[in-house]
């Protein structure tokens, strides 16, 4: 397939100029694009090994980092890929911030500061291009993401535990079954009811099993205002 074949028709909006969209690498498979060294120094750059993206993810702003944690906390999200495609939009090179796999749809999302959103013609072209490929393109403001910063940061310790264990290939099927049995018997428990205080090494597998169940939303918690700790209430 040639570069000219992997493109959308030009789109127009009223009297505005046509804007064409095409792929740089000839395929629409979400794959994190390399971040140039210069960009790591000129942006508010973050890296984090995640679970729904099981590699070292690159984020070009604090809002992108927080947004990724919110995706990890969202039970409807099955996977995501930061910086997933490289496109020509008109004469401009463009890499959207994230591809998101939901249970029932695929979304390509760009984060942007309020007042810095692109023109209607540019947005219309990208919406048309991704719709042609059974995806939805949308722009979300940084400000709306950062309004949920507390929730994201409360999930960060859970993501760090899970990503480390995923990298090491640790299994906890037996411990997860035990925890669910206790939850069925007593319904409402706290983290402290399940995990004894003391050296972490002695309870690591139980802690890992618990956070896996929380991340899978088989056990629910409310981390909107309170951090993950021994007082966190667990519910089925």
């Amino acid at each position: 397939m040639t570069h000219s074949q992997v493109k959308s028709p030009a789109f127009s909006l009223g009297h505005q100029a046509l804007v064409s969209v095409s792929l740089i690498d000839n395929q629409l498979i979400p794959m994190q694009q390399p971040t140039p060294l210069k960009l790591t120094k000129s942006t508010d750059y973050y890296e984090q090994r995640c679970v729904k993206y099981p590699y070292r993810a690159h984020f070009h702003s604090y809002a992108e980092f927080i947004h990724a944690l919110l995706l990890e906390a969202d039970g409807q999200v099955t996977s995501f890929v930061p910086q997933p495609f490289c496109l020509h939009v008109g004469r401009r090179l463009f890499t959207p911030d994230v591809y998101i796999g939901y249970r029932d749809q695929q979304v390509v999302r760009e984060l942007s500061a309020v007042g810095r959103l692109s023109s209607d013609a540019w947005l219309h072209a990208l919406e048309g291009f991704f719709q042609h490929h059974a995806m939805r393109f949308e722009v979300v403001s940084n400000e709306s993401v950062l309004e949920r910063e507390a929730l994201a940061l409360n999930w960060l310790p859970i993501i760090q535990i899970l990503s480390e264990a995923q990298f090491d290939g640790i299994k906890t099927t037996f411990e997860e079954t035990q925890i669910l049995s206790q939850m069925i018997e007593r319904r409402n428990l706290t983290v402290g009811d399940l995990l004894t205080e003391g050296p972490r090494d002695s309870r690591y597998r139980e802690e890992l099993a618990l956070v896996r169940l929380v991340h899978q939303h088989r056990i629910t918690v409310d981390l909107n205002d309170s951090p993950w700790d021994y007082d966190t209430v667990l519910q089925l």
Side-chain angles (χ1 to χ4, degrees):
M1 183 177 289
T2 66
H3 173 74
S4 61
Q5 290 174 311
V6 189
K7 64 187 300 184
S8 72
F11 289 87
S12 64
L13 200 68
H15 64 279
Q16 298 185 43
L18 297 176
V19 176
S20 63
V21 180
S22 59
L23 285 163
I24 301 298
D25 56 4
N26 300 331
Q27 60 180 1
L28 201 64
I29 299 172
M31 184 178 300
Q32 182 171 250
Q33 304 299 304
T35 298
L37 179 61
K38 182 178 179 180
L39 195 59
T40 68
K41 297 179 179 180
S42 63
T43 62
D44 192 12
Y45 180 75
Y46 292 80
E47 290 187 2
Q48 174 67 48
R49 187 176 292 278
C50 299
V51 182
K52 295 177 183 178
Y53 179 71
Y55 309 100
R56 186 170 296 278
H58 302 167
F59 307 109
H60 300 166
S61 70
Y62 183 62
E64 289 182 28
F65 169 65
I66 291 298
H67 181 258
L69 298 179
L70 293 173
L71 295 178
E72 290 283 6
D74 188 339
Q76 296 302 309
V77 173
T78 60
S79 64
F80 68 89
V81 180
Q83 329 301 332
F85 312 111
C86 190
L87 306 168
H88 273 303
V89 184
R91 297 182 179 180
R92 172 184 170 187
L93 286 177
F94 172 64
T95 300
D97 288 324
V98 63
Y99 161 90
I100 308 166
Y102 286 93
R103 296 185 186 277
D104 59 352
Q105 63 178 323
Q106 301 176 83
V107 174
V108 178
R109 184 172 293 168
E110 175 72 1
L111 305 184
S112 179
V114 169
R116 295 185 61 185
L117 302 182
S118 297
S119 69
D120 286 343
W122 187 85
L123 292 174
H124 183 65
L126 284 165
E127 288 169 355
F129 174 82
F130 284 110
Q131 184 178 19
H132 181 71
H133 294 284
M135 302 182 197
R136 179 162 61 87
F137 178 78
E138 63 185 21
V139 178
V140 172
S141 72
N142 292 338
E143 290 77 5
S144 66
V145 171
L146 294 176
E147 286 175 358
R148 304 177 68 203
E149 178 185 25
L151 173 63
L153 294 178
N154 288 339
W155 271 85
L156 179 57
I158 293 174
I159 303 311
Q160 290 172 328
I161 293 169
L162 290 174
S163 61
E164 180 180 349
Q166 185 177 54
F167 183 76
D168 293 336
I170 301 172
K171 306 296 183 182
T172 55
T173 304
F174 175 75
E175 289 82 3
E176 291 170 35
T177 301
Q178 285 189 315
I179 289 173
L180 288 173
S181 296
Q182 293 181 65
M183 291 293 299
I184 290 170
E185 289 178 6
R186 299 177 60 181
R187 307 303 295 180
N188 293 335
L189 296 171
T190 66
V191 172
D193 292 329
L194 292 175
L195 302 180
T196 58
E197 295 190 41
R200 188 184 179 197
D201 289 348
S202 64
R203 56 176 173 79
Y204 173 70
R205 295 187 69 86
E206 288 75 16
E207 179 184 16
L208 176 58
L210 177 57
V211 296
R212 277 181 169 156
L213 292 169
V214 169
H215 187 253
Q216 296 164 6
H217 292 267
R218 298 170 69 188
I219 291 176
T220 61
V221 296
D222 183 358
L223 299 179
N224 283 289
D225 300 311
S226 302
W228 172 259
D229 58 23
Y230 284 109
D231 294 325
T232 299
V233 176
L234 310 169
Q235 294 181 312
L236 287 177

